[in-house]
Amino acid sequence: MTGPTELAERFGTPSYVYDLDRVAAARDDLFAALPDEVELFYAAKANPHPDLLRELRSGGARGCRAEISSVGELDAVLEAGFAGERILYTGPGKTGAELTEALTRGVRLFSTESPGDLRRVGETALRLGLTADCLIRVNNADGAAATSIRMTGVPSQFGFDSETLPGLAAELRDVPGTSIAGLHFFPLSNAKDEASLIAEFRHTIAAAADLQHTLGVPFRFLDIGGGFAAPYAVRGERPVFGELRAALADALDEHFPGWREGAPRVACESGRYLVADSGTLLTTVVNVKDSRDHRYVVLDAGINTFGGMSGLGRIMPVSVEPHQSAGAVGTPASLAGPLCTPGDLLGRNVVLPDVAPGELLTVPNAGAYGPTASLLMFLGRPAPAEIVVRGDELVSVSRIEHTRTYEHGQAL
């Protein structure tokens, strides 16, 4: 059996359960929402678990490529079977050492964030006798979807400010060791609705066409970003986009008439949408405490287990449900973790039935930004178990282990 109670009893809590059938469904739904010619990158930062990576890579011609931003993610995606030519390396702080590692292991496509970043890629490629295909990441001055989480239009370490590109065109075309392959956009995250998503893609495609003329380089590759929404740690169903496919095709036909023949190849990217609804966090109530008219439900899972990138200083909305029947609806409570810090909170004023120590709770839609986006090593508590299932079949159980290695004559 692979139900929450059986898995919690067998492997303990806190633990994550990922269902590969849900991963495959999300991958297939998103590919179905895109024109057949559009490729799809999976942002490994959302969840780099090897079983999930392998599932997203599978699917033949409609399998995902990998988008990474570290050597650790490079290790993960290569181990999961992604070939170097199927990887896009991104990030604002790519060092010479990691660029050397990536190029040596077959990566040839890089998103670059600034003239200095582009030059660093080129210098590293030249030392290795290679040429790196580079995308110019664009920080657009404006956008179309005013109701979503904007990722551009403000000062940022990400991307070339779009208004500076005309003056940089000649310089960018002539960086030794590089070949400008095209552009990379990521203008918004978690679009409010499909209309917002479509509007942003249309704006991005039009901006890309203008920049192709400005840069004087025929693009071979165009990454138009993502923004595909999905519920995260709250109740809800992952949306299916019914209008996107035709809208994207129309916009690309207008601005890049050769795209269906690969001039340029076009890609989108996604993280949360592809894995969020595959995961459930299992956690046990350790204690229930009332303090000055405020209730705290203390769990064995905290920001070290489900931080939601807790270093950003924000508390994500979280839905918690008792797995078994519980008493009547009780007092709104703060969900506290086990860590010795007042910052260890998963939610405030969360309404749930009255619970008691020892009761198993579940957090839905928790397949993205779990252990590796948490304060995993803080206070030295063990990492949660990660349990992978496919329907009723148990696929694997693993746990991230923390180890320290020594140099200068000490054993490694």
Side-chain angles (χ1 to χ4, degrees):
M1 295 291 292
T2 57
T5 299
E6 293 80 10
L7 292 174
E9 289 175 351
R10 183 173 176 185
F11 301 111
T13 62
S15 55
Y16 284 86
V17 182
Y18 308 126
D19 188 340
L20 295 180
D21 283 345
R22 302 289 293 178
V23 176
R27 178 200 64 211
D28 294 346
D29 283 348
L30 191 48
F31 268 114
L34 302 173
D36 289 345
E37 298 85 354
V38 173
E39 301 177 52
L40 181 62
F41 285 101
Y42 171 60
K45 62 178 174 287
N47 190 329
H49 191 288
D51 288 333
L52 274 64
L53 289 172
R54 279 189 284 268
E55 188 65 34
L56 289 162
R57 179 181 59 81
S58 67
R62 301 300 268 172
C64 293
R65 299 180 64 169
E67 183 263 305
I68 64 170
S69 57
S70 72
V71 171
E73 288 184 344
L74 175 62
D75 289 339
V77 299
L78 289 174
E79 181 182 348
F82 288 89
E85 64 267 17
R86 300 279 291 170
I87 298 170
L88 169 64
Y89 204 115
T90 70
K94 298 181 284 290
T95 67
E98 62 189 89
L99 289 168
T100 299
E101 182 84 2
L103 286 160
T104 300
R105 301 175 75 180
V107 180
R108 293 294 180 268
L109 185 61
F110 297 84
S111 175
T112 58
E113 315 276 359
S114 66
D117 191 30
L118 181 65
R119 288 193 297 269
R120 189 173 299 107
V121 174
E123 290 164 0
T124 307
L126 276 179
R127 283 201 303 271
L128 297 172
L130 300 169
T131 298
D133 285 330
C134 293
L135 303 180
I136 300 299
R137 180 164 175 174
V138 180
N139 179 2
N140 254 344
D142 57 7
T147 57
S148 303
I149 302 173
R150 295 229 52 85
M151 302 292 286
T152 56
V154 296
S156 174
Q157 69 268 47
F158 297 109
F160 291 74
D161 296 339
S162 57
E163 64 272 21
T164 70
L165 284 172
L168 293 172
E171 175 186 344
L172 301 181
R173 288 195 302 264
D174 294 332
V175 175
T178 70
S179 174
I180 301 302
L183 301 180
H184 177 200
F185 294 81
F186 198 87
L188 83 165
S189 178
N190 208 34
K192 180 182 178 182
D193 50 40
E194 188 173 16
S196 298
L197 186 65
I198 289 172
E200 194 63 47
F201 276 135
R202 284 176 170 153
H203 183 271
T204 292
I205 292 166
D210 288 342
L211 286 170
Q212 179 173 240
H213 176 74
T214 297
L215 293 173
V217 177
F219 294 158
R220 290 174 283 123
F221 203 94
L222 178 61
D223 182 342
I224 59 176
F228 307 103
Y232 175 58
V234 295
R235 303 176 188 91
E237 296 297 320
R238 174 177 50 77
V240 175
F241 304 108
E243 308 296 326
L244 179 61
R245 182 184 178 99
L248 272 181
D250 287 347
L252 289 165
D253 283 340
E254 178 181 356
H255 295 286
F256 291 95
W259 73 278
R260 294 179 188 270
E261 290 74 44
R265 293 162 61 190
V266 179
C268 293
E269 59 189 81
S270 178
R272 178 195 326 216
Y273 183 92
L274 290 168
V275 295
D277 81 341
S278 73
T280 302
L281 173 61
L282 311 182
T283 180
T284 300
V285 177
V286 176
N287 192 25
V288 178
K289 176 189 176 183
D290 292 314
S291 175
R292 293 176 178 157
D293 298 322
H294 191 85
R295 174 155 293 182
Y296 289 86
V297 175
V298 183
L299 310 174
D300 62 3
I303 57 176
N304 60 317
T305 299
F306 190 62
M309 297 184 289
S310 54
L312 298 179
R314 64 188 184 191
I315 295 178
M316 305 296 292
V318 174
S319 294
V320 179
E321 302 172 353
H323 182 60
Q324 303 292 348
S325 60
V329 173
T331 305
S334 290
L335 301 178
L339 304 184
C340 189
T341 170
D344 189 16
L345 291 173
L346 296 186
R348 296 190 178 100
N349 297 316
V350 177
V351 178
L352 71 162
D354 287 335
V355 294
E359 190 159 354
L360 178 65
L361 305 182
T362 61
V363 179
N365 292 313
Y369 302 110
T372 56
S374 304
L375 299 181
L376 199 57
M377 293 187 67
F378 187 49
L379 291 179
R381 297 182 71 89
E386 293 181 272
I387 305 163
V388 179
V389 302
R390 189 185 298 277
D392 291 331
E393 174 194 357
L394 181 63
V395 176
S396 71
V397 181
S398 61
R399 191 187 305 271
I400 298 171
E401 297 290 348
H402 311 311
T403 60
R404 187 183 300 275
T405 58
Y406 291 87
E407 298 181 5
H408 307 299
Q410 300 292 329
L412 291 176

